[in-house]
Amino acid sequence: MTLISNLIRPSRRPLTRSRACIALATILTLTISVCAQALTITDSRGEHEFAQTPQRVIALNWSMAENLVELGVTPVGVADIKGYQEWVVRPQLTDSITDVGTRSEPNLERIAALQPDVILLSSMQEGMVEKLEQIAPVLFFDSFRADHDNFDVSRQIFLQLARLFDKETTAKQKLDAMDTRFGELQEQLKAHYHGDLPKVAAVRFTTPSVLRIFGDNSMAQAAMAKLGLQPALPQPATQWGITQKKVTDLGRIKDGVVIYIEPFEQADDLFSTPLWRAMPFVRSGRFAAARSTWTYGGPLSVQYLAESITDALLTLTP
């Protein structure tokens, strides 16, 4: 802006018409240039202007952290890194990232000390916006809702973040590669099952007696759809795409496969019981574990889910 100020500062020399036109043109060019550098990013609260690409970013939600790493952006802070490493797993976080507390109660002093240019929040974190905006600009993406398609929205958010961090080419390459990968995985399953893919129920156990089934609008079912798999125990769409059930409800599955997503610390407590061993899908060997993968993440988590589910299904005899 100093250049513009110099141009509009009164001069002792008379301003001819030609010089005035040149000065005006220069001012307009500089103004347009300054405006062109500004980025407009739309989150769930509206539009936000960024004068330049943020260099220091903190993610208080694991899906936001995952998106950043996939784009090649290393956040300076992430909430609950230990939990991320257990439940999200991929993509891995580097050791240089600072843990900034829990996702529900982040450490504000630690966040302020990191001097972020922007802080990223997602579903169930909107209540933190006011406090965090006292530290840095905040973007809030309401990723998971019952009234939209969670997977489609995750792609849109990924592309918004790519714009913000000047990584649009990387984002397009990642999404194109993901779509190709879905096709490769589906062909592996068709070959293994001789073209007759089984119906699948994807679940997470919370206790030896309670589980969550992934239904419509879940990332797990989005992955299954990309693989050409139909649900063995269909569930209606919800905010997170999950429905809580009793473990005994799985007994309704007569000819489908059950895939449970790790981790489940009480696995031995459940799988050793006579009730569990009597389940139809257990007796017929149609049960397998999928390695730990985040089920509430960004679009690339859906690829990792598809890979985990495929690997689990390939361990079963058709």
Side-chain angles (χ1 to χ4, degrees), residues 105-223:
E105 294 183 5
N107 186 316
L108 300 182
E109 291 78 13
R110 203 174 298 167
I111 290 173
L114 289 171
Q115 300 181 321
D117 298 321
V118 64
I119 300 170
L120 303 182
L121 304 179
S122 190
S123 298
M124 299 185 71
Q125 294 181 314
E126 189 172 13
M128 302 179 193
V129 170
E130 187 174 344
K131 283 186 178 179
L132 291 169
E133 280 187 329
Q134 297 175 28
I135 300 174
V138 174
L139 291 177
F140 166 73
F141 295 99
D142 199 5
S143 312
F144 288 84
R145 294 170 50 147
D147 60 354
H148 70 206
D149 185 303
N150 288 332
F151 178 53
D152 284 349
V153 169
S154 75
R155 293 178 70 116
Q156 296 168 20
I157 293 171
F158 189 63
L159 293 172
Q160 281 290 308
L161 293 177
R163 284 194 65 238
L164 178 61
F165 294 102
D166 194 21
K167 297 287 185 180
E168 289 175 283
T169 300
T170 300
K172 185 176 185 309
Q173 291 171 344
K174 287 272 184 176
L175 293 178
D176 288 347
M178 178 180 71
D179 292 335
T180 300
R181 183 65 173 148
F182 288 141
E184 294 170 350
L185 295 169
Q186 185 176 125
E187 290 305 312
Q188 288 181 38
L189 288 174
K190 285 181 177 177
H192 185 73
Y193 285 93
H194 311 294
D196 187 16
L197 298 181
K199 292 184 177 180
V200 175
V203 306
R204 266 196 194 278
F205 293 102
T206 54
T207 72
S209 59
V210 177
L211 56 80
R212 291 169 178 163
I213 296 182
F214 294 99
D216 289 353
N217 212 25
S218 70
M219 296 306 228
Q221 189 149 309

Side-chain angles (χ1 to χ4, degrees), residues 22-95:
I22 293 172
L24 179 60
T26 305
I27 291 171
L28 289 173
T29 301
L30 289 172
T31 303
I32 291 170
S33 177
V34 169
C35 292
Q37 293 174 5
L39 278 170
T40 300
I41 301 298
T42 303
D43 73 355
S44 298
R45 298 184 300 141
E47 293 186 344
H48 305 264
E49 295 286 340
F50 288 83
Q52 58 190 9
T53 302
Q55 300 300 310
R56 300 176 64 81
V57 53
I58 289 177
L60 298 184
N61 175 278
W62 290 343
S63 70
M64 295 296 113
E66 168 206 321
N67 284 330
L68 291 172
V69 177
E70 294 290 356
L71 290 170
V73 176
T74 301
V76 295
V78 169
D80 189 4
I81 290 177
K82 183 179 179 181
Y84 179 101
Q85 292 167 336
E86 180 179 9
W87 291 90
V88 183
V89 184
R90 293 183 293 173
Q92 294 183 346
L93 301 178
T94 66
D95 294 338

Side-chain angles (χ1 to χ4, degrees), residues 86-88 201-207 210-214 242-243 245 259-264 290-296 305:
E86 180 179 9
W87 291 90
V88 183
V203 306
R204 266 196 194 278
F205 293 102
T206 54
T207 72
V210 177
L211 56 80
R212 291 169 178 163
I213 296 182
F214 294 99
I242 55 175
T243 301
K245 293 283 186 181
I259 299 293
Y260 87 95
I261 300 171
E262 296 177 323
F264 177 40
R291 62 182 173 275
S292 184
T293 307
W294 193 223
T295 44
Y296 311 105
L305 280 166

